[in-house]
Amino acid sequence: MTQRLKLSVLRHGPLLMTITIFLMAYIIGAQLYPAMQRPQAFFNLFINNGFLLILGIGMTFVILTGGIDLSVGGVLALTTAASAALLNLGVSPLVVMPLMLVMGTAIGLGLGCLIHFFKVQPFIVTLMGLFFARGLAYIISLTSVTITDPLYKYLALTPIYLPFFAKAYIYIPTLVGPALLVVAIYLAYFTRFGRIVYAIGNNEQSAALMGFPVGRTKVLVYGLSGFCSALAGIVFSISLLAGYGQFATGVELDVIAAVVMGGTLLTGGVGNVIGTLFGILIEATIISILQYNGTLSSWWTRICVGVLTLIFIGIQSGFALRKKK
Amino acid sequence: MADPQNLITVSGVSKVFPGVVALEGVDFALRKGEIHALMGENGAGKSTLIKILTGVEQPDQGRIELENTAISIKSPQHAQALGISTVYQEINLCTNISVAENIMLGHEPRRFGGIHWKKLNELASQALARLGIELDVTQPLGIYSIAIQQMVAIARALAIASAKVLILDEPTSSLDANETARLFAVMRALKQEGIGIVFVTHFLDQVYEIVDRVTILRNGRFVGSFDIAALSRVELVAKMLGRVVDELQALAHDKGQVAPQTEKGQLIEASGLGLRGALQPLDLTVGVGEVLGIAGLLGSGRTELASLLFGIATPDSGSLSIDGQQVTRFSPQALIKRGVALCPEDRKAEGIVGDLSIRENIILGLQGRYGWFKFIGRQKQTEIAEKYIKLLGIRTPSPDQLVKNLSGGNQQKVILARWLVTQPRLLILDEPTRGIDVGAKAEIQKLVLELVKDGMSIVFISSELEEVVRMSDRIVVLRDHAKVAEYDHAVSDRTLMQTMAGEA
């Protein structure tokens, strides 16, 4: 029994570590700035960073297969720019949203096909995808385009008051990230697709010899990430009520850092989406502490995230070495 | 060939790879409820035939029938769907997912559209119970031993609905005697159920213990299929090699003549050399022109000893001196400079560069010694490569053949050649004959003895006792990461075995 306990600690150690660090960061923040003790401060993490969570979920699946997706920020920006342009042309938002999701998925599937069929490194292919999508966003418009669509405005500005918490509220798009997280957990643990993603990340050749559809799964994973990027783009354009090619510049690296902090190994095969949630919450907490402080440069976020990511990688290697013994 | 007893009938199958004819007009038939050995030297075409049967490769010519219906096997998935399941020598499972998933994934039970975990774990436990194994199937596969992983691989192969044919590619190469016995019990039970088993192995004893019929391949050609009861061992070996072999006996004779030369002084002296968690402190000497055998079971510390001697790991106690000079910096680079060379156990991962040609692989060793900035002319390179290809009898159409296209035995020779060009003083051979056929084994053994005659010192690590005894002047026995005994070359296999097992 103790042996089993030890094994399960080793297995879930990195995740427990991430959760602990998030709690510590939040508690320290709440001590320094009492405003963070309000429930609303916690919900703000989700309101402000929902799009990061959505991107992180897609990215987690990609990294689990041993790949990487640098195109997410580009697809997000393209989605905001294209949505804004189409809405201003008078196209119904009920057409625009599904259309954007289809576009994102198609871009992802396309990149996945290049990676799989032409055996090009995911790094190169998705970097190209990033340039392509962001470039296209600037072709649509060189400046920020404001969205005036009534449905978008309604979604952006109508708070939903939460039960049990006095005066705490969120917006409808805030729910998208957590809802997607539930779907992702189901996808990862209760579908063949999810399990094959893990198998591929461990050993692609073995997975193929075990008779799994390796190629199809890899292509689908990039399709999923493209879908998530477009979804994040829709959420992003609703919250800012604008579309612009410069939105979320460099976000791909923030997302990758969050996924790594969440215990997912870049070599693939190890990690989970729950860890990614907490990785993103850690980033969000650091950002909000700096905002409450008000005097520190916002670049401290990057510095903190950099240091934390480094610490996490150290801890992960520690756990990996222990496991081997 | 329309024998209703036949599960699989292969006729006239050919396959050509760049520069090599891997199979040429091969016939093969597997009956229901038989264990059929597939034998041949390395490079005989066994692996290629298996790859064709499992859909990894497509034949260029020929016909494959399953239960007398012509089929073409398009992919590993397709093979499984047809009822042909394979367990590969290098276990192809995923160590990060649970044992149960490794067995059941691909045909997992579902509930409400998702995986029914409870049932999946139950079914996996049952599949293992069929093989007489009980373990926690929810743990990741990676925490279990290679032997258990092998059993899991077999369980997976069988769990696939309606498996009719089971291909076992050298399943016993990493199993100990008990585990092998258990595997054989399972194989016999499956045979009773009417499953046809293709069994690839290099162990003659095992062939005579369990096999019904044997098909022999040589150089990609079909030699014949025989009932094992009607074929003597000598005949079997002769057919595999295509000649009458008395080389092995001759070798033993050679050995008698060159025997102890320890008077020439010691090359390597280690005292109290050890590393916590890997090797307990031990004393060791290797004389000039001496073969020191290291015997021990898998995991006894053999490989750890080799990595200390080659500087891959740094010892935390004791000292090592070469030619009376203390080694102060442990790194492969430093020890190569002092004339130490290591042929590692896992040649694919640690030894060769598969995507480079034979010539380039051999020159790599020389370049390491000369330094990166000394240019070796192309003509000189080819000259050197050809010299060693001839010297070691590497079978290849040209020095520019890619190493990954060679058979295991020839790859091993390329690694040897790479070290020999640097003219080392101590050559550490970690399982140099593992997974290599009888003929190539004899050649490599003979080569080792010739090197010793020229004054090279050799540390010879092998799990085949008979080989260690035959080759070595002295033998050190390791058990549980510690040196337990040292014998001279007159020791018997039996004594060695008892020492290794801890009975003596």
Side-chain angles (χ1 to χ4, degrees), chain A residues 4 7 11 186 189-192 195-196 198-203 205-213 268-270, chain B residues 56 76-77 80 88 92-97 101-102 105-108 110 112-115 117 136 138-140 143 156:
Chain A
R4 224 184 137 155
L7 282 171
R11 221 162 129 191
Y186 179 82
Y189 295 101
F190 292 97
T191 66
R192 186 188 294 184
R195 303 319 294 164
I196 292 176
Y198 279 87
I200 292 174
N202 181 250
N203 189 331
Q205 198 194 355
S206 290
L209 286 171
M210 284 168 86
F212 298 150
V270 178
Chain B
V56 177
Q77 283 135 281
Q80 286 184 7
Y88 295 91
N92 283 292
L93 293 176
C94 294
T95 50
N96 64 334
I97 56 178
E101 287 176 80
N102 268 296
L105 207 58
H107 40 96
E108 67 282 349
R110 284 160 178 273
F112 312 129
I115 295 172
W117 280 104
D136 183 355
T138 61
Q139 292 297 332
I143 68 165
R156 174 178 176 82

Short mmCIF file of all heavy atoms in Angstrom, two decimals, chain A residues 4 7 11 186 189-192 195-196 198-203 205-213 268-270, chain B residues 56 76-77 80 88 92-97 101-102 105-108 110 112-115 117 136 138-140 143 156:
data_model
loop_
_atom_site.label_atom_id
_atom_site.label_comp_id
_atom_site.label_asym_id
_atom_site.label_seq_id
_atom_site.Cartn_x
_atom_site.Cartn_y
_atom_site.Cartn_z
N ARG A 4 2.33 1.79 -3.28
CA ARG A 4 1.37 2.37 -4.20
C ARG A 4 1.23 3.86 -3.99
O ARG A 4 1.15 4.64 -4.93
CB ARG A 4 0.02 1.69 -3.98
CG ARG A 4 -0.63 1.35 -5.30
CD ARG A 4 -1.98 0.78 -5.12
NE ARG A 4 -2.83 1.40 -6.13
CZ ARG A 4 -3.92 0.84 -6.59
NH1 ARG A 4 -4.31 -0.30 -6.11
NH2 ARG A 4 -4.63 1.43 -7.49
N LEU A 7 4.21 5.60 -5.43
CA LEU A 7 4.12 5.68 -6.88
C LEU A 7 3.16 6.78 -7.30
O LEU A 7 3.43 7.54 -8.22
CB LEU A 7 3.64 4.34 -7.45
CG LEU A 7 4.69 3.24 -7.52
CD1 LEU A 7 4.03 1.93 -7.88
CD2 LEU A 7 5.74 3.60 -8.56
N ARG A 11 3.81 10.12 -9.42
CA ARG A 11 3.08 10.35 -10.66
C ARG A 11 2.42 11.71 -10.67
O ARG A 11 2.42 12.40 -11.67
CB ARG A 11 2.01 9.27 -10.77
CG ARG A 11 1.85 8.70 -12.15
CD ARG A 11 1.13 7.40 -12.02
NE ARG A 11 -0.01 7.33 -12.89
CZ ARG A 11 -0.92 6.37 -12.80
NH1 ARG A 11 -0.84 5.45 -11.87
NH2 ARG A 11 -1.93 6.33 -13.64
N TYR A 186 -12.50 15.00 -20.58
CA TYR A 186 -13.18 13.83 -21.13
C TYR A 186 -12.41 13.27 -22.32
O TYR A 186 -12.14 12.07 -22.42
CB TYR A 186 -14.60 14.22 -21.55
CG TYR A 186 -15.38 13.08 -22.16
CD1 TYR A 186 -16.01 12.14 -21.35
CD2 TYR A 186 -15.46 12.92 -23.54
CE1 TYR A 186 -16.69 11.08 -21.89
CE2 TYR A 186 -16.14 11.87 -24.10
CZ TYR A 186 -16.77 10.95 -23.28
OH TYR A 186 -17.44 9.90 -23.82
N TYR A 189 -9.10 11.50 -21.12
CA TYR A 189 -9.14 10.29 -20.30
C TYR A 189 -10.17 9.26 -20.73
O TYR A 189 -10.07 8.09 -20.37
CB TYR A 189 -9.38 10.66 -18.83
CG TYR A 189 -8.24 11.45 -18.28
CD1 TYR A 189 -8.29 12.83 -18.15
CD2 TYR A 189 -7.04 10.79 -17.95
CE1 TYR A 189 -7.21 13.55 -17.69
CE2 TYR A 189 -5.97 11.51 -17.50
CZ TYR A 189 -6.04 12.87 -17.37
OH TYR A 189 -4.96 13.57 -16.92
N PHE A 190 -11.17 9.69 -21.48
CA PHE A 190 -12.25 8.74 -21.76
C PHE A 190 -12.44 8.46 -23.23
O PHE A 190 -13.44 7.86 -23.62
CB PHE A 190 -13.56 9.23 -21.13
CG PHE A 190 -13.52 9.20 -19.64
CD1 PHE A 190 -13.21 10.34 -18.91
CD2 PHE A 190 -13.75 8.02 -18.95
CE1 PHE A 190 -13.14 10.30 -17.53
CE2 PHE A 190 -13.69 7.97 -17.57
CZ PHE A 190 -13.37 9.12 -16.86
N THR A 191 -11.51 8.90 -24.06
CA THR A 191 -11.65 8.55 -25.48
C THR A 191 -10.36 7.89 -25.96
O THR A 191 -9.29 8.11 -25.41
CB THR A 191 -11.91 9.79 -26.37
OG1 THR A 191 -10.75 10.62 -26.33
CG2 THR A 191 -13.12 10.56 -25.91
N ARG A 192 -10.52 7.10 -26.99
CA ARG A 192 -9.37 6.43 -27.59
C ARG A 192 -8.40 7.48 -28.13
O ARG A 192 -7.20 7.38 -27.96
CB ARG A 192 -9.84 5.52 -28.72
CG ARG A 192 -8.73 4.70 -29.30
CD ARG A 192 -9.19 3.97 -30.54
NE ARG A 192 -10.21 2.96 -30.25
CZ ARG A 192 -10.69 2.15 -31.18
NH1 ARG A 192 -10.26 2.24 -32.42
NH2 ARG A 192 -11.60 1.28 -30.87
N ARG A 195 -6.13 8.82 -25.40
CA ARG A 195 -5.12 7.86 -24.93
C ARG A 195 -4.04 7.65 -25.99
O ARG A 195 -2.88 7.44 -25.67
CB ARG A 195 -5.77 6.52 -24.55
CG ARG A 195 -6.86 6.60 -23.50
CD ARG A 195 -6.56 7.55 -22.38
NE ARG A 195 -5.45 7.14 -21.53
CZ ARG A 195 -4.81 7.91 -20.68
NH1 ARG A 195 -5.15 9.18 -20.55
NH2 ARG A 195 -3.83 7.46 -19.96
N ILE A 196 -4.46 7.68 -27.25
CA ILE A 196 -3.47 7.51 -28.32
C ILE A 196 -2.53 8.72 -28.37
O ILE A 196 -1.34 8.58 -28.65
CB ILE A 196 -4.18 7.26 -29.68
CG1 ILE A 196 -4.87 5.90 -29.64
CG2 ILE A 196 -3.19 7.30 -30.84
CD1 ILE A 196 -5.68 5.57 -30.86
N TYR A 198 -1.42 10.27 -25.81
CA TYR A 198 -0.38 9.97 -24.81
C TYR A 198 0.60 8.92 -25.36
O TYR A 198 1.80 9.03 -25.18
CB TYR A 198 -1.01 9.45 -23.52
CG TYR A 198 -1.53 10.56 -22.62
CD1 TYR A 198 -2.81 11.06 -22.79
CD2 TYR A 198 -0.72 11.10 -21.63
CE1 TYR A 198 -3.28 12.08 -21.98
CE2 TYR A 198 -1.19 12.11 -20.81
CZ TYR A 198 -2.46 12.60 -20.99
OH TYR A 198 -2.91 13.61 -20.19
N ALA A 199 0.05 7.90 -26.00
CA ALA A 199 0.90 6.82 -26.51
C ALA A 199 1.89 7.35 -27.54
O ALA A 199 3.07 7.01 -27.52
CB ALA A 199 0.03 5.72 -27.12
N ILE A 200 1.41 8.23 -28.43
CA ILE A 200 2.29 8.79 -29.47
C ILE A 200 3.41 9.59 -28.83
O ILE A 200 4.57 9.51 -29.23
CB ILE A 200 1.49 9.68 -30.44
CG1 ILE A 200 0.53 8.83 -31.28
CG2 ILE A 200 2.42 10.47 -31.35
CD1 ILE A 200 -0.40 9.64 -32.15
N GLY A 201 3.06 10.34 -27.79
CA GLY A 201 4.07 11.17 -27.13
C GLY A 201 5.15 10.34 -26.49
O GLY A 201 6.30 10.76 -26.37
N ASN A 202 4.80 9.14 -26.06
CA ASN A 202 5.79 8.27 -25.42
C ASN A 202 6.71 7.65 -26.46
O ASN A 202 7.93 7.65 -26.30
CB ASN A 202 5.06 7.17 -24.64
CG ASN A 202 6.03 6.25 -23.93
OD1 ASN A 202 6.16 5.10 -24.31
ND2 ASN A 202 6.72 6.75 -22.92
N ASN A 203 6.13 7.10 -27.51
CA ASN A 203 6.94 6.45 -28.52
C ASN A 203 6.10 6.28 -29.79
O ASN A 203 5.25 5.40 -29.87
CB ASN A 203 7.41 5.08 -28.01
CG ASN A 203 8.42 4.45 -28.93
OD1 ASN A 203 8.42 4.69 -30.14
ND2 ASN A 203 9.29 3.65 -28.37
N GLN A 205 6.81 5.31 -32.79
CA GLN A 205 6.98 4.07 -33.55
C GLN A 205 6.20 2.93 -32.90
O GLN A 205 5.51 2.15 -33.57
CB GLN A 205 8.46 3.73 -33.62
CG GLN A 205 8.76 2.74 -34.73
CD GLN A 205 10.15 2.16 -34.59
OE1 GLN A 205 10.93 2.54 -33.72
NE2 GLN A 205 10.47 1.21 -35.43
N SER A 206 6.30 2.84 -31.57
CA SER A 206 5.55 1.81 -30.85
C SER A 206 4.07 1.97 -31.08
O SER A 206 3.37 1.00 -31.35
CB SER A 206 5.83 1.88 -29.35
OG SER A 206 7.13 1.46 -29.08
N ALA A 207 3.61 3.21 -30.98
CA ALA A 207 2.18 3.47 -31.15
C ALA A 207 1.73 2.98 -32.53
O ALA A 207 0.68 2.36 -32.66
CB ALA A 207 1.89 4.95 -30.97
N ALA A 208 2.57 3.21 -33.55
CA ALA A 208 2.21 2.77 -34.90
C ALA A 208 2.17 1.25 -34.97
O ALA A 208 1.27 0.66 -35.54
CB ALA A 208 3.20 3.32 -35.92
N LEU A 209 3.15 0.60 -34.33
CA LEU A 209 3.20 -0.86 -34.37
C LEU A 209 2.10 -1.49 -33.53
O LEU A 209 1.75 -2.65 -33.72
CB LEU A 209 4.57 -1.36 -33.91
CG LEU A 209 5.69 -1.14 -34.93
CD1 LEU A 209 7.03 -1.44 -34.32
CD2 LEU A 209 5.47 -1.98 -36.17
N MET A 210 1.57 -0.74 -32.55
CA MET A 210 0.45 -1.26 -31.77
C MET A 210 -0.84 -1.16 -32.58
O MET A 210 -1.90 -1.57 -32.12
CB MET A 210 0.31 -0.49 -30.46
CG MET A 210 1.35 -0.87 -29.42
SD MET A 210 1.37 0.27 -28.03
CE MET A 210 0.08 -0.44 -27.00
N GLY A 211 -0.74 -0.57 -33.76
CA GLY A 211 -1.90 -0.51 -34.64
C GLY A 211 -2.74 0.75 -34.47
O GLY A 211 -3.88 0.79 -34.88
N PHE A 212 -2.16 1.79 -33.84
CA PHE A 212 -2.94 3.01 -33.66
C PHE A 212 -2.81 3.89 -34.90
O PHE A 212 -1.77 3.91 -35.54
CB PHE A 212 -2.42 3.80 -32.45
CG PHE A 212 -2.55 3.05 -31.16
CD1 PHE A 212 -1.64 3.28 -30.13
CD2 PHE A 212 -3.56 2.14 -30.96
CE1 PHE A 212 -1.75 2.59 -28.93
CE2 PHE A 212 -3.67 1.45 -29.76
CZ PHE A 212 -2.77 1.68 -28.75
N PRO A 213 -3.87 4.65 -35.20
CA PRO A 213 -3.81 5.58 -36.35
C PRO A 213 -2.99 6.81 -35.99
O PRO A 213 -3.54 7.87 -35.70
CB PRO A 213 -5.27 5.93 -36.60
CG PRO A 213 -5.94 5.74 -35.28
CD PRO A 213 -5.18 4.66 -34.56
N GLY A 268 6.80 15.12 -24.63
CA GLY A 268 5.56 14.43 -24.92
C GLY A 268 5.27 13.26 -23.99
O GLY A 268 6.15 12.76 -23.30
N GLY A 269 4.00 12.86 -23.99
CA GLY A 269 3.63 11.66 -23.25
C GLY A 269 3.27 11.85 -21.79
O GLY A 269 2.64 10.99 -21.19
N VAL A 270 3.70 12.96 -21.19
CA VAL A 270 3.43 13.17 -19.77
C VAL A 270 2.80 14.55 -19.57
O VAL A 270 3.32 15.53 -20.09
CB VAL A 270 4.74 13.10 -18.95
CG1 VAL A 270 4.47 13.37 -17.48
CG2 VAL A 270 5.41 11.76 -19.14
N VAL B 56 4.26 -4.11 -42.22
CA VAL B 56 5.17 -2.96 -42.14
C VAL B 56 5.81 -2.70 -43.50
O VAL B 56 6.00 -1.57 -43.91
CB VAL B 56 6.25 -3.19 -41.06
CG1 VAL B 56 7.25 -2.04 -41.03
CG2 VAL B 56 5.61 -3.37 -39.69
N PRO B 76 0.19 -2.43 -40.17
CA PRO B 76 0.10 -3.19 -38.92
C PRO B 76 -1.34 -3.29 -38.42
O PRO B 76 -1.74 -4.33 -37.89
CB PRO B 76 0.96 -2.38 -37.95
CG PRO B 76 1.95 -1.68 -38.80
CD PRO B 76 1.23 -1.37 -40.08
N GLN B 77 -2.11 -2.21 -38.60
CA GLN B 77 -3.51 -2.27 -38.17
C GLN B 77 -4.26 -3.35 -38.95
O GLN B 77 -5.04 -4.10 -38.40
CB GLN B 77 -4.21 -0.93 -38.44
CG GLN B 77 -3.88 0.13 -37.46
CD GLN B 77 -3.59 1.43 -38.18
OE1 GLN B 77 -2.50 1.63 -38.71
NE2 GLN B 77 -4.56 2.32 -38.23
N GLN B 80 -3.46 -6.82 -37.81
CA GLN B 80 -4.18 -7.15 -36.58
C GLN B 80 -5.63 -7.50 -36.86
O GLN B 80 -6.17 -8.44 -36.32
CB GLN B 80 -4.12 -5.98 -35.60
CG GLN B 80 -2.76 -5.83 -34.95
CD GLN B 80 -2.74 -4.71 -33.92
OE1 GLN B 80 -3.77 -4.13 -33.61
NE2 GLN B 80 -1.57 -4.43 -33.41
N TYR B 88 7.28 -7.82 -30.84
CA TYR B 88 8.60 -7.56 -31.38
C TYR B 88 9.68 -7.74 -30.32
O TYR B 88 9.41 -7.67 -29.13
CB TYR B 88 8.68 -6.14 -31.94
CG TYR B 88 7.76 -5.94 -33.12
CD1 TYR B 88 6.46 -5.49 -32.94
CD2 TYR B 88 8.18 -6.22 -34.40
CE1 TYR B 88 5.61 -5.32 -34.01
CE2 TYR B 88 7.34 -6.05 -35.48
CZ TYR B 88 6.05 -5.60 -35.28
OH TYR B 88 5.20 -5.43 -36.34
N ASN B 92 7.49 -3.05 -28.26
CA ASN B 92 6.86 -1.86 -28.79
C ASN B 92 5.57 -1.56 -28.06
O ASN B 92 4.49 -1.79 -28.56
CB ASN B 92 6.62 -2.01 -30.29
CG ASN B 92 7.89 -1.82 -31.06
OD1 ASN B 92 8.42 -0.72 -31.11
ND2 ASN B 92 8.40 -2.89 -31.61
N LEU B 93 5.72 -1.09 -26.84
CA LEU B 93 4.57 -0.66 -26.08
C LEU B 93 4.89 0.74 -25.58
O LEU B 93 6.01 1.20 -25.72
CB LEU B 93 4.33 -1.59 -24.89
CG LEU B 93 3.91 -3.02 -25.21
CD1 LEU B 93 3.81 -3.83 -23.94
CD2 LEU B 93 2.58 -3.05 -25.95
N CYS B 94 3.92 1.39 -24.98
CA CYS B 94 4.17 2.73 -24.47
C CYS B 94 4.26 2.69 -22.96
O CYS B 94 3.33 2.24 -22.28
CB CYS B 94 3.06 3.66 -24.93
SG CYS B 94 3.10 3.87 -26.71
N THR B 95 5.38 3.13 -22.43
CA THR B 95 5.65 2.97 -20.99
C THR B 95 4.91 3.98 -20.14
O THR B 95 4.86 3.83 -18.93
CB THR B 95 7.15 3.10 -20.72
OG1 THR B 95 7.61 4.29 -21.36
CG2 THR B 95 7.92 1.91 -21.26
N ASN B 96 4.37 5.04 -20.75
CA ASN B 96 3.76 6.09 -19.92
C ASN B 96 2.30 5.83 -19.61
O ASN B 96 1.76 6.39 -18.68
CB ASN B 96 3.90 7.46 -20.61
CG ASN B 96 3.15 7.50 -21.93
OD1 ASN B 96 2.93 6.48 -22.56
ND2 ASN B 96 2.75 8.68 -22.34
N ILE B 97 1.65 4.97 -20.41
CA ILE B 97 0.25 4.69 -20.13
C ILE B 97 0.14 3.37 -19.35
O ILE B 97 1.12 2.63 -19.26
CB ILE B 97 -0.60 4.66 -21.42
CG1 ILE B 97 -0.04 3.67 -22.43
CG2 ILE B 97 -0.66 6.05 -22.05
CD1 ILE B 97 -0.86 3.57 -23.71
N GLU B 101 -4.16 -0.21 -20.39
CA GLU B 101 -4.32 0.47 -21.68
C GLU B 101 -3.44 -0.18 -22.75
O GLU B 101 -3.85 -0.33 -23.90
CB GLU B 101 -3.93 1.94 -21.56
CG GLU B 101 -4.93 2.77 -20.81
CD GLU B 101 -4.43 4.18 -20.66
OE1 GLU B 101 -4.54 4.94 -21.62
OE2 GLU B 101 -3.90 4.52 -19.58
N ASN B 102 -2.23 -0.53 -22.34
CA ASN B 102 -1.33 -1.15 -23.29
C ASN B 102 -1.93 -2.44 -23.86
O ASN B 102 -1.68 -2.79 -25.00
CB ASN B 102 0.02 -1.44 -22.65
CG ASN B 102 1.00 -0.30 -22.85
OD1 ASN B 102 1.37 0.01 -23.97
ND2 ASN B 102 1.38 0.34 -21.77
N LEU B 105 -6.09 -0.95 -25.40
CA LEU B 105 -6.37 0.21 -26.24
C LEU B 105 -6.44 -0.18 -27.71
O LEU B 105 -5.59 -0.89 -28.22
CB LEU B 105 -5.31 1.29 -26.02
CG LEU B 105 -5.77 2.72 -26.28
CD1 LEU B 105 -6.95 3.07 -25.40
CD2 LEU B 105 -4.63 3.69 -26.04
N GLY B 106 -7.45 0.33 -28.39
CA GLY B 106 -7.66 -0.04 -29.79
C GLY B 106 -8.91 -0.91 -29.90
O GLY B 106 -9.57 -0.94 -30.91
N HIS B 107 -9.21 -1.62 -28.81
CA HIS B 107 -10.45 -2.40 -28.77
C HIS B 107 -11.00 -2.32 -27.36
O HIS B 107 -11.36 -3.32 -26.74
CB HIS B 107 -10.20 -3.85 -29.20
CG HIS B 107 -8.93 -4.41 -28.67
ND1 HIS B 107 -8.87 -5.16 -27.54
CD2 HIS B 107 -7.64 -4.26 -29.08
CE1 HIS B 107 -7.61 -5.47 -27.28
NE2 HIS B 107 -6.85 -4.93 -28.20
N GLU B 108 -11.01 -1.09 -26.85
CA GLU B 108 -11.38 -0.88 -25.45
C GLU B 108 -12.90 -0.93 -25.28
O GLU B 108 -13.63 -0.54 -26.17
CB GLU B 108 -10.83 0.46 -24.98
CG GLU B 108 -11.44 1.71 -25.62
CD GLU B 108 -10.89 1.99 -27.01
OE1 GLU B 108 -9.90 1.35 -27.41
OE2 GLU B 108 -11.47 2.85 -27.69
N ARG B 110 -16.49 0.31 -24.08
CA ARG B 110 -17.00 1.68 -23.98
C ARG B 110 -18.29 1.73 -23.19
O ARG B 110 -19.02 0.75 -23.09
CB ARG B 110 -17.27 2.21 -25.38
CG ARG B 110 -16.01 2.59 -26.09
CD ARG B 110 -16.22 2.64 -27.58
NE ARG B 110 -14.97 3.05 -28.18
CZ ARG B 110 -14.63 4.32 -28.35
NH1 ARG B 110 -15.45 5.28 -27.98
NH2 ARG B 110 -13.48 4.63 -28.89
N PHE B 112 -21.33 4.91 -22.57
CA PHE B 112 -21.77 6.27 -22.88
C PHE B 112 -20.78 6.93 -23.85
O PHE B 112 -20.43 8.10 -23.69
CB PHE B 112 -21.87 7.12 -21.61
CG PHE B 112 -22.62 6.46 -20.50
CD1 PHE B 112 -22.09 6.37 -19.22
CD2 PHE B 112 -23.87 5.89 -20.73
CE1 PHE B 112 -22.79 5.76 -18.20
CE2 PHE B 112 -24.57 5.27 -19.72
CZ PHE B 112 -24.02 5.21 -18.45
N GLY B 113 -20.26 6.19 -24.80
CA GLY B 113 -19.35 6.77 -25.79
C GLY B 113 -17.93 6.97 -25.30
O GLY B 113 -17.06 7.32 -26.06
N GLY B 114 -17.69 6.75 -24.02
CA GLY B 114 -16.32 6.93 -23.51
C GLY B 114 -15.75 5.60 -23.06
O GLY B 114 -16.45 4.58 -23.03
N ILE B 115 -14.48 5.61 -22.71
CA ILE B 115 -13.83 4.37 -22.27
C ILE B 115 -14.41 3.93 -20.92
O ILE B 115 -14.56 4.73 -20.01
CB ILE B 115 -12.31 4.59 -22.13
CG1 ILE B 115 -11.70 4.89 -23.50
CG2 ILE B 115 -11.65 3.36 -21.51
CD1 ILE B 115 -10.26 5.31 -23.45
N TRP B 117 -13.53 2.41 -17.94
CA TRP B 117 -12.26 2.09 -17.30
C TRP B 117 -12.31 0.84 -16.44
O TRP B 117 -11.39 0.03 -16.44
CB TRP B 117 -11.76 3.27 -16.46
CG TRP B 117 -11.12 4.30 -17.31
CD1 TRP B 117 -11.65 5.51 -17.68
CD2 TRP B 117 -9.83 4.22 -17.93
NE1 TRP B 117 -10.77 6.17 -18.49
CE2 TRP B 117 -9.65 5.42 -18.65
CE3 TRP B 117 -8.83 3.26 -17.95
CZ2 TRP B 117 -8.51 5.67 -19.39
CZ3 TRP B 117 -7.68 3.52 -18.67
CH2 TRP B 117 -7.53 4.71 -19.38
N ASP B 136 -0.88 -5.10 -10.76
CA ASP B 136 -1.74 -3.93 -10.75
C ASP B 136 -1.73 -3.30 -12.13
O ASP B 136 -0.79 -2.62 -12.51
CB ASP B 136 -1.22 -2.95 -9.69
CG ASP B 136 -2.13 -1.73 -9.57
OD1 ASP B 136 -3.08 -1.63 -10.37
OD2 ASP B 136 -1.89 -0.91 -8.68
N THR B 138 -3.34 -0.89 -13.30
CA THR B 138 -3.58 0.54 -13.43
C THR B 138 -2.29 1.35 -13.38
O THR B 138 -2.28 2.54 -13.62
CB THR B 138 -4.51 1.06 -12.32
OG1 THR B 138 -3.87 0.81 -11.06
CG2 THR B 138 -5.84 0.34 -12.33
N GLN B 139 -1.18 0.68 -13.05
CA GLN B 139 0.10 1.40 -12.99
C GLN B 139 0.68 1.57 -14.39
O GLN B 139 0.43 0.75 -15.27
CB GLN B 139 1.09 0.61 -12.12
CG GLN B 139 0.72 0.56 -10.65
CD GLN B 139 0.70 1.92 -10.00
OE1 GLN B 139 1.41 2.83 -10.41
NE2 GLN B 139 -0.14 2.08 -9.00
N PRO B 140 1.49 2.60 -14.57
CA PRO B 140 2.14 2.75 -15.88
C PRO B 140 3.06 1.57 -16.17
O PRO B 140 3.71 1.06 -15.26
CB PRO B 140 2.94 4.04 -15.76
CG PRO B 140 2.74 4.58 -14.41
CD PRO B 140 1.81 3.69 -13.65
N ILE B 143 7.00 0.99 -14.95
CA ILE B 143 7.56 0.62 -13.65
C ILE B 143 7.85 -0.87 -13.57
O ILE B 143 8.48 -1.32 -12.63
CB ILE B 143 6.63 1.04 -12.47
CG1 ILE B 143 5.35 0.22 -12.46
CG2 ILE B 143 6.31 2.52 -12.53
CD1 ILE B 143 4.60 0.32 -11.14
N ARG B 156 -1.37 -8.33 -25.06
CA ARG B 156 -1.99 -7.42 -26.03
C ARG B 156 -2.24 -8.13 -27.36
O ARG B 156 -3.31 -8.05 -27.94
CB ARG B 156 -1.12 -6.20 -26.27
CG ARG B 156 -1.70 -5.34 -27.38
CD ARG B 156 -0.94 -4.06 -27.68
NE ARG B 156 -1.59 -3.41 -28.81
CZ ARG B 156 -2.67 -2.66 -28.72
NH1 ARG B 156 -3.21 -2.44 -27.54
NH2 ARG B 156 -3.23 -2.14 -29.79
#
